[in-house]
Amino acid sequence: ALSAGATDIVFKIGDDIPVIVGEPVTLQVDEDGLADGNTDSGQTGEQDFGGQVTANVDLTTVFDVGADQPGTFQFTSGAVAALNALGLTSDQVAITHVLAGDTITGSAGGNDIYTIQVTAGGTLTVTLIDQIDHVDDPDDEETNLSINLGALIEVVDEDGDALSAGATDIVFKIGDDIP
């Protein structure tokens, strides 16, 4: 009988890592849907952004964890700092962000403006609570403010491999309300 030495046969197993599998997604909310918003009435300058104040997406349609199941979805460690660096305002008051559990809340002057929630299972929900300042449009038309969330959200597989999406792969859009 012939036997091999302990190092003569090597068995290698490649690590599986998460990958991006879906198309970019947009979560659209609209100030027209707020309690004190002006419902679209067909006047000049209005855009139909849907009138909704909550939007969600299943992140498992964007990320594939691969073989190292289960994966955990979460905010990246720099998510709050990145959102604070955007310089967003509500009624000319700076919006600051705080992470508590699985939810980031943006608030200004003690008033909550919006929340962004990422559950461990992969549900991303954005909720608009109050108005956010938009760039003034010279034609008094409603505009859409885009906040790129992709690089702020990641999936971590069972053995610790992490992947965040590209900055524009997940976009939170807030439709403006005009008088």
Side-chain angles (χ1 to χ4, degrees):
L2 197 61
S3 63
T7 60
D8 290 341
I9 299 175
V10 177
F11 184 61
K12 293 184 178 183
I13 301 173
D15 187 19
D16 187 27
I17 60 173
V19 295
I20 303 294
V21 293
E23 296 294 319
V25 296
T26 298
L27 295 101
Q28 178 73 58
V29 296
D30 188 354
E31 289 180 350
D32 291 343
L34 295 171
D36 58 352
N38 295 317
T39 305
D40 287 335
S41 61
Q43 74 178 3
T44 302
E46 287 184 334
Q47 303 293 322
D48 184 3
F49 296 122
Q52 302 299 313
V53 294
T54 300
N56 59 58
V57 66
D58 178 359
L59 292 172
T60 64
T61 65
V62 178
F63 297 92
D64 183 4
V65 176
D68 296 329
Q69 298 279 340
T72 301
F73 293 86
Q74 62 193 24
F75 290 105
T76 60
S77 61
V80 169
L83 287 167
N84 284 335
L86 294 176
L88 301 172
T89 59
S90 176
D91 201 20
Q92 288 84 42
V93 177
I95 297 175
T96 57
H97 300 84
V98 175
L99 173 63
D102 63 1
T103 303
I104 292 177
T105 301
S107 58
N111 297 316
D112 291 346
I113 306 303
Y114 59 81
T115 60
I116 307 167
Q117 180 187 37
V118 176
T119 67
T123 300
L124 169 62
T125 303
V126 295
T127 303
L128 183 64
I129 301 165
D130 204 344
Q131 72 86 29
I132 186 168
D133 297 338
H134 288 67
V135 174
D136 284 332
D137 183 275
D139 298 323
D140 289 327
E141 291 189 15
E142 291 181 330
T143 57
N144 231 347
L145 173 69
S146 295
I147 302 172
N148 296 327
L149 299 178
L152 309 181
I153 297 168
E154 66 185 0
V155 62
V156 181
D157 70 10
E158 184 64 22
D159 67 357
D161 299 314
L163 175 70
S164 59
T168 59
D169 285 345
I170 304 170
V171 179
F172 171 27
K173 289 188 175 187
I174 303 167
D176 197 7
D177 183 34
I178 61 173

